[in-house]
Amino acid sequence: MKNAFFYFILFPFFGLINAIRHYRSSWAKPTMIAFVAFFGLSMVKSDTADSTRYVQNLEMMYNSNKDFETIQNGLYNGEGGQVDIYVTVVTFIFSLFTDNGNLLFMFFGLIFGYFYANNIWLVLTQSKGKLSWEQHLLLAAFSMIVGFWTINGVRMWTAAHVFFYGGFLYLYQDKKKGIFIALCSILIHFSFIIPSFFLVAYSLFRLNFRVLYLFYIASFFIAELNIDFIRTSLESNLPEFLLPKVKTYFNDDYLDGYEEVAVSVNWYVLYYKKILTYFTAIFITILFFKTNLSASVKKLLGFSMLFLSVANIISLLPSGARFLNVAFLFSLATCFIVVSNTKVVFVAKSIRLLSPLLILFCIISLRLSLDYFNVTTLTNPLIVLLTDVNLPLIDLIK
């Protein structure tokens, strides 16, 4: 902990680099958590980013009456308010003493970093000794699926890491508390009702491994969904307090705007996640036909296939593709564990053949992260608190 505190005060980014280099050290994980908290403090909060809206909500609460009605309006405001408890309650507590959005995001970064770092080490500790370059690559790709820079969308991606943390404890380590931790993700982002439902269903009804694989393959061939049918079904069956969000996501203006945004972004933003789709589909097929898996790995892989299948279908809806990222956390964790513990030569060779896909994914992920890296992220908390710089690192590189 002394090393983590030292790096946080003087040079958090250098601490991150050293934590990666000395990943077996006891201080590596807390150092990474401390860096993610610092990243939340220093990251770019541009007008086009979600983080700006959270900062504006903090300022609004700071200048409003400090009563229960303020929280209630934030939770259930039909004009785009949220039904998510975590962000609203934390923002309200911070509004009692500050309107500084950087401090708010430092706390968000601390919570995000706790689960982010713990998830990496949950997977990492399934290996022994020095990692091979194939293992390094898999772990790097795993850590970039929902990287620490995604804290900009604090609700969705914090919930993603909380859900994976709980799901992994339950599925792979057979710890019953894991399923309750996973269910807590609903308190962070309401949409995690969906993965939570399938996790509970998977725990109650053990589906045939071959059926899960066929379902996974079949999910790629679904050409279209009737959005009106889905909208009507959701509005008829969901609790009333969730309806404002459903109407927002399925509003015609939202659907049109989503398509416009999809067309306007760079090609690599649209397609780089497909790289993981190709990698995962190929590698899961290899595992299905070529490898004898332990019961715990088979349980984790079975849920990965179920969740990937559901995510493939949901990804056809506006904003639904985000669930693929959560599903990829499970699939890449499974790949890392298998590669780390199998003696089947063909598995290791397969990773080498598929490595260009993962390398390309990591390169594009790092490029996207530079949009949120502030130039002050390369300094320390004192400089960040004494300055007001909001300059993406990519602007200096271009």
Side-chain angles (χ1 to χ4, degrees):
M1 286 299 295
K2 289 182 179 179
N3 281 0
F5 181 76
F6 173 80
Y7 283 124
F8 178 78
I9 295 298
L10 294 182
F11 200 170
F13 184 73
F14 185 66
L16 173 67
I17 301 302
N18 269 340
I20 294 172
R21 289 177 56 197
H22 303 283
Y23 53 85
R24 297 291 187 188
S25 301
S26 60
W27 52 267
K29 183 165 66 174
T31 299
M32 181 173 286
I33 295 172
F35 170 78
V36 179
F38 171 70
F39 184 83
L41 176 74
S42 63
M43 75 175 198
V44 171
K45 301 170 183 69
S46 66
D47 293 338
T48 59
D50 289 348
S51 53
T52 300
R53 177 162 50 86
Y54 299 125
V55 173
Q56 289 172 347
N57 287 342
L58 173 65
E59 294 169 349
M60 178 192 68
M61 286 189 179
Y62 181 78
N63 294 307
S64 65
N65 295 325
K66 307 298 191 295
D67 52 25
F68 178 73
E69 187 177 351
T70 301
I71 299 180
Q72 190 176 37
N73 289 339
L75 289 171
Y76 306 115
N77 182 351
E79 297 297 326
Q82 54 205 42
V83 295
D84 313 293
I85 295 174
Y86 168 64
V87 165
T88 300
V89 172
V90 170
T91 303
F92 177 79
I93 293 173
F94 269 77
S95 73
L96 297 176
F97 58 86
T98 184
D99 62 351
N100 189 323
N102 290 336
L103 294 178
L104 175 66
F105 265 86
M106 183 173 70
F107 180 83
F108 286 152
L110 180 64
I111 302 303
F112 185 102
Y114 175 83
F115 288 100
Y116 176 73
N118 272 283
N119 287 341
I120 292 174
W121 264 266
L122 272 179
V123 176
L124 173 61
T125 52
Q126 306 312 313
S127 65
K128 296 179 181 179
K130 188 177 181 179
L131 298 182
S132 65
W133 72 266
E134 294 94 342
Q135 290 171 294
H136 275 294
L137 182 58
L138 280 167
L139 196 61
F142 172 83
S143 67
M144 293 180 190
I145 295 170
V146 184
F148 56 81
W149 51 90
T150 63
I151 193 178
N152 170 65
V154 60
R155 295 182 300 125
M156 180 69 191
W157 304 123
T158 303
H161 277 294
V162 171
F163 181 79
F164 175 83
Y165 181 74
F168 188 90
L169 290 179
Y170 176 72
L171 294 168
Y172 187 74
Q173 298 185 354
D174 201 29
K175 295 181 178 179
K176 299 298 185 289
K177 68 177 183 179
I179 199 163
F180 296 104
I181 295 173
L183 290 174
C184 287
S185 63
I186 300 172
L187 303 177
I188 303 172
H189 198 286
F190 81 99
S191 66
F192 274 77
I193 286 177
I194 297 172
S196 295
F197 169 81
F198 284 100
L199 179 62
V200 172
Y202 183 76
S203 67
L204 296 176
F205 308 102
R206 292 300 167 83
L207 300 176
N208 182 277
F209 199 64
R210 292 181 179 178
V211 172
L212 287 171
Y213 176 73
L214 292 175
F215 181 41
Y216 171 54
I217 297 301
S219 68
F220 288 104
F221 296 94
I222 297 177
E224 63 182 55
L225 288 176
N226 188 322
I227 292 181
D228 287 333
F229 172 76
I230 295 173
R231 173 167 44 198
T232 302
S233 299
L234 290 175
E235 291 179 354
S236 300
N237 296 288
L238 284 179
E240 185 176 350
F241 74 94
L242 291 178
L243 293 183
K245 278 297 182 183
V246 173
K247 292 177 180 178
T248 297
Y249 283 128
F250 288 91
N251 181 279
D252 289 336
D253 291 335
Y254 181 87
L255 296 175
D256 293 339
Y258 184 83
E259 291 179 0
E260 290 176 6
V261 171
V263 171
S264 64
V265 298
N266 290 325
W267 66 269
Y268 53 81
V269 177
L270 285 175
Y271 297 111
Y272 86 109
K273 287 291 173 67
K274 291 186 180 294
I275 295 170
L276 286 185
T277 298
Y278 304 142
F279 171 84
T280 300
I282 295 170
F283 199 74
I284 285 180
T285 300
I286 291 170
L287 296 183
F288 182 78
F289 286 105
K290 291 290 184 180
T291 311
N292 292 322
L293 304 174
S294 66
S296 56
V297 171
K298 205 168 184 178
K299 188 177 179 181
L300 186 62
L301 180 59
F303 179 72
S304 298
M305 289 190 293
L306 174 62
F307 193 13
L308 283 165
S309 304
V310 173
N312 280 339
I313 297 171
I314 296 176
S315 67
L316 299 175
L317 302 174
S319 301
R322 296 180 296 179
F323 284 105
L324 277 172
N325 297 10
V326 189
F328 287 143
L329 289 174
F330 287 91
S331 62
L332 256 70
T334 306
C335 292
F336 179 87
I337 293 169
V338 171
V339 170
S340 300
N341 296 282
T342 187
K343 296 182 179 179
V344 179
V345 177
F346 184 72
V347 172
K349 287 185 177 179
S350 300
I351 290 294
R352 293 178 198 133
L353 290 173
L354 295 171
S355 62
L357 292 175
L358 293 182
I359 292 171
L360 182 58
F361 170 78
C362 290
I363 291 172
I364 297 174
S365 295
L366 288 174
R367 159 60 190 91
L368 293 175
S369 74
L370 296 179
D371 290 331
Y372 301 100
F373 262 90
N374 201 336
V375 293
T376 57
T377 305
L378 303 179
T379 62
N380 59 55
L382 182 61
I383 292 177
V384 172
L385 292 172
L386 293 178
T387 60
D388 187 21
V389 179
N390 206 39
L391 179 64
L393 199 58
I394 189 65
D395 287 356
L396 296 181
I397 298 174
K398 285 182 177 179

